[in-house]
mmCIF file of all heavy atoms in Angstrom:
data_model
loop_
_atom_site.group_PDB
_atom_site.id
_atom_site.type_symbol
_atom_site.label_atom_id
_atom_site.label_comp_id
_atom_site.label_asym_id
_atom_site.label_seq_id
_atom_site.Cartn_x
_atom_site.Cartn_y
_atom_site.Cartn_z
ATOM 1 N N LEU A 144 82.235 93.155 106.415
ATOM 2 C CA LEU A 144 81.123 93.977 106.866
ATOM 3 C C LEU A 144 80.575 94.797 105.718
ATOM 4 O O LEU A 144 79.343 94.915 105.569
ATOM 5 C CB LEU A 144 81.558 94.897 108.029
ATOM 6 C CG LEU A 144 80.491 95.796 108.627
ATOM 7 C CD1 LEU A 144 79.294 94.960 109.127
ATOM 8 C CD2 LEU A 144 81.086 96.626 109.742
ATOM 9 N N GLY A 145 81.452 95.296 104.873
ATOM 10 C CA GLY A 145 81.005 96.023 103.680
ATOM 11 C C GLY A 145 80.141 95.152 102.788
ATOM 12 O O GLY A 145 79.135 95.587 102.236
ATOM 13 N N MET A 146 80.535 93.883 102.635
ATOM 14 C CA MET A 146 79.739 92.974 101.807
ATOM 15 C C MET A 146 78.365 92.741 102.431
ATOM 16 O O MET A 146 77.358 92.658 101.693
ATOM 17 C CB MET A 146 80.492 91.637 101.655
ATOM 18 C CG MET A 146 81.782 91.741 100.866
ATOM 19 S SD MET A 146 81.530 92.321 99.185
ATOM 20 C CE MET A 146 80.699 90.900 98.454
ATOM 21 N N GLU A 147 78.305 92.667 103.732
ATOM 22 C CA GLU A 147 76.991 92.504 104.391
ATOM 23 C C GLU A 147 76.132 93.741 104.161
ATOM 24 O O GLU A 147 74.933 93.596 103.877
ATOM 25 C CB GLU A 147 77.173 92.214 105.892
ATOM 26 C CG GLU A 147 77.771 90.877 106.207
ATOM 27 C CD GLU A 147 76.953 89.732 105.642
ATOM 28 O OE1 GLU A 147 75.724 89.701 105.849
ATOM 29 O OE2 GLU A 147 77.547 88.854 105.023
ATOM 30 N N TRP A 148 76.690 94.903 104.315
ATOM 31 C CA TRP A 148 75.950 96.128 104.055
ATOM 32 C C TRP A 148 75.451 96.142 102.597
ATOM 33 O O TRP A 148 74.307 96.548 102.316
ATOM 34 C CB TRP A 148 76.776 97.372 104.356
ATOM 35 C CG TRP A 148 76.909 97.721 105.804
ATOM 36 C CD1 TRP A 148 78.074 97.812 106.484
ATOM 37 C CD2 TRP A 148 75.887 98.057 106.723
ATOM 38 N NE1 TRP A 148 77.853 98.174 107.781
ATOM 39 C CE2 TRP A 148 76.483 98.326 107.945
ATOM 40 C CE3 TRP A 148 74.493 98.133 106.635
ATOM 41 C CZ2 TRP A 148 75.760 98.685 109.085
ATOM 42 C CZ3 TRP A 148 73.766 98.498 107.770
ATOM 43 C CH2 TRP A 148 74.411 98.770 108.949
ATOM 44 N N ALA A 149 76.312 95.733 101.692
ATOM 45 C CA ALA A 149 75.948 95.714 100.268
ATOM 46 C C ALA A 149 74.755 94.780 100.039
ATOM 47 O O ALA A 149 73.839 95.109 99.256
ATOM 48 C CB ALA A 149 77.139 95.317 99.402
ATOM 49 N N LYS A 150 74.769 93.622 100.670
ATOM 50 C CA LYS A 150 73.655 92.674 100.539
ATOM 51 C C LYS A 150 72.356 93.284 101.001
ATOM 52 O O LYS A 150 71.276 92.956 100.499
ATOM 53 C CB LYS A 150 73.928 91.420 101.359
ATOM 54 C CG LYS A 150 74.940 90.481 100.778
ATOM 55 C CD LYS A 150 75.114 89.272 101.690
ATOM 56 C CE LYS A 150 76.345 88.493 101.410
ATOM 57 N NZ LYS A 150 76.575 87.440 102.372
ATOM 58 N N GLU A 151 72.431 94.183 101.990
ATOM 59 C CA GLU A 151 71.246 94.861 102.505
ATOM 60 C C GLU A 151 70.876 96.101 101.690
ATOM 61 O O GLU A 151 69.921 96.773 102.023
ATOM 62 C CB GLU A 151 71.491 95.274 103.972
ATOM 63 C CG GLU A 151 71.665 94.083 104.931
ATOM 64 C CD GLU A 151 71.961 94.522 106.369
ATOM 65 O OE1 GLU A 151 71.609 95.680 106.714
ATOM 66 O OE2 GLU A 151 72.480 93.695 107.114
ATOM 67 N N GLY A 152 71.632 96.354 100.617
ATOM 68 C CA GLY A 152 71.352 97.507 99.808
ATOM 69 C C GLY A 152 71.778 98.868 100.427
ATOM 70 O O GLY A 152 71.337 99.892 99.981
ATOM 71 N N ARG A 153 72.641 98.785 101.375
ATOM 72 C CA ARG A 153 73.096 100.005 102.098
ATOM 73 C C ARG A 153 74.431 100.430 101.519
ATOM 74 O O ARG A 153 75.506 100.196 102.074
ATOM 75 C CB ARG A 153 73.209 99.716 103.573
ATOM 76 C CG ARG A 153 71.920 99.142 104.228
ATOM 77 C CD ARG A 153 70.858 100.162 104.524
ATOM 78 N NE ARG A 153 71.266 101.150 105.483
ATOM 79 C CZ ARG A 153 71.131 101.063 106.789
ATOM 80 N NH1 ARG A 153 70.560 100.006 107.328
ATOM 81 N NH2 ARG A 153 71.541 102.037 107.580
ATOM 82 N N THR A 154 74.368 101.067 100.360
ATOM 83 C CA THR A 154 75.543 101.434 99.580
ATOM 84 C C THR A 154 76.529 102.286 100.356
ATOM 85 O O THR A 154 77.745 102.001 100.384
ATOM 86 C CB THR A 154 75.127 102.137 98.274
ATOM 87 O OG1 THR A 154 74.296 101.253 97.549
ATOM 88 C CG2 THR A 154 76.324 102.541 97.457
ATOM 89 N N ASP A 155 76.045 103.355 101.012
ATOM 90 C CA ASP A 155 76.969 104.251 101.706
ATOM 91 C C ASP A 155 77.730 103.560 102.822
ATOM 92 O O ASP A 155 78.939 103.759 102.987
ATOM 93 C CB ASP A 155 76.237 105.484 102.218
ATOM 94 C CG ASP A 155 75.782 106.395 101.113
ATOM 95 O OD1 ASP A 155 76.386 106.386 99.986
ATOM 96 O OD2 ASP A 155 74.804 107.156 101.316
ATOM 97 N N GLN A 156 77.047 102.676 103.554
ATOM 98 C CA GLN A 156 77.707 101.970 104.637
ATOM 99 C C GLN A 156 78.721 100.988 104.055
ATOM 100 O O GLN A 156 79.808 100.827 104.589
ATOM 101 C CB GLN A 156 76.679 101.212 105.501
ATOM 102 C CG GLN A 156 75.827 102.117 106.352
ATOM 103 C CD GLN A 156 74.600 102.641 105.630
ATOM 104 O OE1 GLN A 156 74.466 102.569 104.423
ATOM 105 N NE2 GLN A 156 73.683 103.228 106.382
#
Side-chain angles (χ1 to χ4, degrees):
L144 182 57
M146 294 299 291
E147 290 302 312
W148 283 120
K150 286 180 196 173
E151 295 178 21
R153 307 281 297 270
T154 301
D155 290 336
Q156 289 85 347

